[in-house]
């Protein structure tokens, strides 16, 4: 039996609770990273659609650089690369890297959703005397945010999984916890299965919350349905 | 009331407006007709600066509108615009659509604006739809809300760009009725339309545009019954044959 099934399933259950703290750290990095990403994404999206050429160029460069390089490299640049200038501890390094990495993707999500609002909306708003700023605030952005929610949801789930890269700079999150317990107990597979289950629980929870929000926003509206 | 002088506008190499002069007097109803692409929409859009004219001046009550945010936003609050495709705000209820301008631009207290908006909805016959979202309305109802939204700003002039062209034929009447009521109340209006019968009924002055120029203008009887320009004759023939 041992030969065909070399793993100790009971360990998965007994050790499962000892990952709780690490899971909370994963959750912390993810939510903080998403928060930074949302702010950065919103600001850079507005810069990207602005008529100010230098600001536009700054936003484009940021998006180009961040999307064209690996997150792991970005993390190393912030944690190792910057040490000579400022030594940032692992935990904030992970949040900054995850935040600015996601910021670039979120900026594109926001830009896309803003640009998807028909130009007639801006014209109607301006034609009743609203300023550009007011029209953005009252008419364009509320509609754009709604449209951004499904792609943002996907991005949040990617961010959650990407937070595992923080294990490489010694943030005691889920994956690092799994590797440490694995090597100390020689039960690698068991520990990694626990890590997998935690990630699945977290992504499922996130999916659930996102669905709830989506339902709430579309309630009372006509939805695509099967038509005979 | 509103006067434009020598308005010119081009898109790329296409000269869309080749120097338009137009004077809309108080309580006057000016109907603009002309073939597709002749620049009717562009003219209306230049009057409230949704398109920035290349050249020319816009005056409201003798004051020249300068091309700065203050003047342009001020002009827009006084010159209403009704679009072919309504452009209602889909994330707001019908009532909120109508209140939005007064509350956000004129800074009128919410409860006062709500009351005024409700009265306007009654005027356009849509009191029962106040709390619906625009997507639940028919085209004719949407356009009537759009007219109420424009009226809520208490404009001195309203510009209509083909207000019934996007509607099913059976819904044209309800929108025309609302505009007709406004005409009777003495609202100053410029209306681009292909509904010649309606133009004949309400217009004080008919303007015929062709290739970016005004080729003919006058009272409806004259323009419709005795058009002098061959392009007008041709255009009217086309419209009547449809
Ligand atoms: N934003 C724009 N960019 C480029 N070309 C434009 C733009 N707006 C209008 N045009 C062109 O300018 C010309 C005049 O357009 P306009 O919409 O003013 O005509 P119109 O008289 O309103 O026609 P219709 O009866 O079809 O509405 C058309 O050839 C149109 O393609
Ligand atoms: Mg037009």
């Amino acid at each position: 039996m041992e030969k065909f099934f070399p793993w100790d399933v009971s360990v998965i259950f007994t050790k499962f609770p000892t990952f709780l703290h690490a899971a909370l750290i994963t959750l912390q990095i993810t939510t903080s990273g998403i928060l930074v990403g949302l702010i950065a994404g919103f600001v850079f999206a507005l810069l990207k659609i602005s008529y100010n050429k230098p600001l536009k160029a700054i936003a484009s460069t940021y998006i180009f650089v961040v999307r064209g390089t690996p997150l792991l490299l970005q993390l190393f640049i912030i944690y190792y690369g910057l040490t000579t200038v400022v030594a940032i501890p692992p935990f904030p390094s992970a949040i900054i890297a995850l935040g600015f990495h996601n910021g670039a993707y979120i900026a594109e999500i926001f830009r896309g959703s803003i640009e998807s609002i028909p130009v007639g909306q801006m014209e109607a708003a301006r034609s009743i005397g609203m300023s550009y700023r007011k029209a953005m605030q009252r008419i364009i952005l509320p509609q754009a945010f709604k449209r951004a929610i499904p792609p943002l949801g996907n991005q949040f789930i990617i961010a959650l999984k990407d937070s595992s890269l923080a294990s490489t700079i010694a943030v005691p999150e889920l994956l690092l916890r799994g590797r440490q317990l694995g090597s100390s107990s020689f039960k690698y597979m068991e520990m990694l299965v626990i890590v997998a289950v935690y990630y699945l629980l977290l992504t499922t929870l996130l999916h659930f919350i996102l669905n709830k929000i989506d339902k709430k926003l579309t309630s009372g509206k006509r939805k695509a349905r099967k038509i005979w | 009331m509103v006067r434009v002088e020598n308005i010119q506008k081009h898109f790329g190499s296409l000269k869309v407006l080749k120097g338009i002069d137009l004077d809309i007097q108080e309580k006057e109803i000016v109907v603009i007709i002309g073939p597709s692409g002749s620049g009717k929409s562009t003219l209306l859009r230049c009057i409230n600066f949704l398109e920035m004219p290349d050249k020319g001046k816009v005056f409201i009550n003798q004051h020249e509108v300068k091309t700065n945010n203050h003047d342009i936003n001020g002009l827009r609050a006084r010159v209403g615009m009704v679009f072919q495709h309504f452009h209602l705000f889909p994330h707001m209820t019908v009532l909120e659509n109508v209140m939005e301008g007064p509350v956000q631009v004129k800074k009128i207290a919410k409860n006062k604006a709500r009351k005024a908006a409700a009265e306007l909805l009654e005027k356009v016959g849509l009191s029962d739809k106040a709390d619906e979202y625009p997507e639940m309305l028919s085209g004719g109802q949407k356009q009537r809300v759009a007219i109420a939204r424009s009226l809520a700003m208490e404009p001195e002039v309203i510009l209509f760009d083909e207000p019934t062209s996007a509607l099913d034929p059976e819904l044209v009447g309800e929108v025309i009725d609302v505009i007709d009521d406004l005409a009777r109340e003495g609202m100053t209006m410029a209306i681009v339309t292909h509904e010649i019968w309606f133009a004949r009924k309400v217009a004080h002055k008919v303007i015929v545009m062709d290739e970016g120029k005004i080729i003919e203008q006058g009272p409806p009887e004259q323009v419709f019954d005795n058009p002098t320009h061959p392009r007008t004759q041709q255009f009217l023939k086309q419209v009547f044959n449809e």
Side-chain angles (χ1 to χ4, degrees):
Chain A
M1 187 69 199
E2 181 112 331
K3 209 164 193 177
F4 299 105
F5 198 84
W7 299 303
D8 181 358
V9 178
S10 68
V11 163
I12 295 177
F13 291 97
T14 54
K15 285 288 176 194
F16 194 83
T18 66
F19 281 72
L20 201 62
H21 182 69
L24 284 178
I25 291 189
T26 286
L27 212 53
Q28 268 176 14
I29 309 170
T30 306
T31 49
S32 313
I34 286 173
L35 203 67
V36 174
L38 281 171
I39 295 166
F42 182 62
V43 171
F44 282 103
L46 289 182
L47 296 186
K48 185 105 198 247
I49 59 166
S50 80
Y51 293 103
N52 185 317
K53 287 239 168 73
L55 292 181
K56 223 177 152 111
I58 290 172
S60 302
T61 310
Y62 161 67
I63 292 168
F64 172 75
V65 170
V66 169
R67 295 208 308 176
T69 55
L71 171 55
L72 189 56
L73 174 65
Q74 293 159 14
L75 186 63
F76 283 2
I77 285 175
I78 288 164
Y79 183 62
Y80 296 116
L82 289 181
T83 40
T84 47
V85 188
V86 51
I88 308 170
F91 189 73
S93 286
I95 290 171
I96 294 169
L98 204 59
F100 279 92
H101 179 81
N102 279 282
Y105 288 92
I106 292 172
E108 286 295 83
I109 290 171
F110 280 147
R111 184 184 62 85
S113 68
I114 290 170
E115 287 178 348
S116 77
I117 305 301
V119 60
Q121 289 292 306
M122 178 56 98
E123 293 189 347
R126 301 305 300 276
S127 77
I128 53 174
M130 284 190 184
S131 61
Y132 174 81
R133 198 195 167 102
K134 189 122 236 170
M136 269 292 178
Q137 271 173 17
R138 297 283 311 168
I139 308 301
I140 307 299
L141 292 178
Q143 296 184 61
F145 283 144
K146 258 190 210 177
R147 291 195 187 183
I149 285 170
L152 279 179
N154 288 335
Q155 192 59 40
F156 293 170
I157 285 166
I158 293 171
L160 173 66
K161 293 185 286 184
D162 279 352
S163 71
S164 61
L165 290 173
S167 64
T168 59
I169 58 167
V171 176
E173 48 69 74
L174 274 174
L175 185 56
L176 185 63
R177 177 80 179 156
R179 285 175 52 200
Q180 282 172 345
L181 286 188
S183 68
S184 62
S185 67
F186 297 104
K187 293 187 172 13
Y188 255 116
M189 182 55 98
E190 291 83 344
M191 299 307 157
L192 293 179
V193 166
I194 294 176
V195 171
V197 173
Y198 268 101
Y199 275 114
L200 284 171
L201 284 174
L202 289 175
T203 48
T204 308
L205 181 72
L206 199 52
H207 265 299
F208 180 77
I209 295 170
L210 291 167
N211 271 338
K212 268 260 147 69
I213 294 173
D214 202 43
K215 279 239 176 66
K216 194 158 187 170
L217 286 174
T218 50
S219 69
K221 295 279 177 82
R222 288 178 196 163
K223 263 175 263 169
R225 62 194 160 84
K226 195 168 185 179
I227 293 178
W228 296 99
Chain B
M1 169 127 305
V2 173
R3 188 159 57 84
V4 304
E5 245 180 50
N6 190 29
I7 293 284
Q8 298 185 23
K9 177 74 189 173
H10 70 94
F11 294 112
S13 60
L14 183 69
K15 283 209 118 215
V16 178
L17 297 177
K18 301 170 183 166
I20 302 280
D21 297 299
L22 177 63
D23 191 1
I24 308 170
Q25 305 281 335
E26 195 174 342
K27 295 184 190 285
E28 191 178 32
I29 298 173
V30 176
V31 167
I32 303 168
I33 61 170
S36 184
S38 56
K40 307 179 297 293
S41 299
T42 308
L43 173 60
L44 287 195
R45 292 162 59 80
C46 280
I47 294 177
N48 74 351
F49 292 90
L50 287 181
E51 301 289 355
M52 187 60 73
D54 303 332
K55 229 182 139 182
K57 291 175 178 165
V58 178
F59 297 86
I60 180 154
N61 295 330
Q62 317 304 330
H63 289 288
E64 184 181 344
V65 181
K66 295 281 194 307
T67 54
N68 58 53
N69 285 334
H70 174 265
D71 270 26
I72 290 178
N73 288 335
L75 166 93
R76 286 177 180 151
R78 297 161 69 184
V79 178
M81 180 106 180
V82 173
F83 301 89
Q84 183 175 358
H85 295 285
F86 335 120
H87 303 320
L88 294 181
F89 306 134
H91 58 305
M92 299 180 179
T93 65
V94 163
L95 191 76
E96 287 163 352
N97 264 273
V98 181
M99 287 168 62
E100 185 67 6
V103 171
Q104 296 298 329
V105 179
K106 287 192 157 179
K107 309 286 176 205
I108 288 172
K110 272 211 173 120
N111 48 0
K112 213 172 141 200
R114 187 174 296 117
K115 210 165 142 253
E119 280 167 20
L120 283 170
L121 286 177
E122 192 174 345
K123 185 182 165 105
V124 299
L126 289 173
S127 295
D128 54 328
K129 302 288 182 192
D131 298 322
E132 296 272 18
Y133 282 88
E135 69 170 340
M136 297 298 177
L137 305 185
S138 72
Q141 292 170 332
K142 281 183 193 167
Q143 193 60 297
R144 286 187 278 153
V145 175
I147 293 172
R149 178 177 68 182
S150 175
L151 287 172
M153 292 301 289
E154 301 182 318
E156 295 163 42
V157 190
I158 305 184
L159 313 174
F160 291 85
D161 190 3
E162 302 202 32
T164 59
S165 297
L167 303 178
D168 291 336
E170 72 271 19
L171 301 177
V172 169
E174 62 189 60
V175 172
I176 293 275
D177 285 345
V178 170
I179 302 174
D180 205 14
D181 285 343
L182 293 177
R184 256 189 300 245
E185 289 165 19
M187 178 58 104
T188 312
M189 299 187 272
I191 309 171
V192 173
T193 183
H194 290 297
E195 309 286 341
I196 302 294
W197 62 274
F198 177 60
R200 187 189 287 274
K201 182 174 165 202
V202 300
H204 300 119
K205 184 162 78 189
V206 177
I207 305 254
V208 186
M209 286 185 66
D210 189 39
E211 297 185 340
K213 287 193 296 264
I214 293 177
I215 55 168
E216 184 157 3
Q217 60 181 307
E221 311 80 50
Q222 182 194 315
V223 173
F224 293 134
D225 300 332
N226 295 301
T228 52
H229 200 288
R231 290 283 294 167
T232 313
Q233 296 165 355
Q234 194 187 339
F235 171 69
L236 288 173
K237 217 186 217 160
Q238 234 170 33
V239 174
F240 284 124
N241 281 341
E242 271 163 18

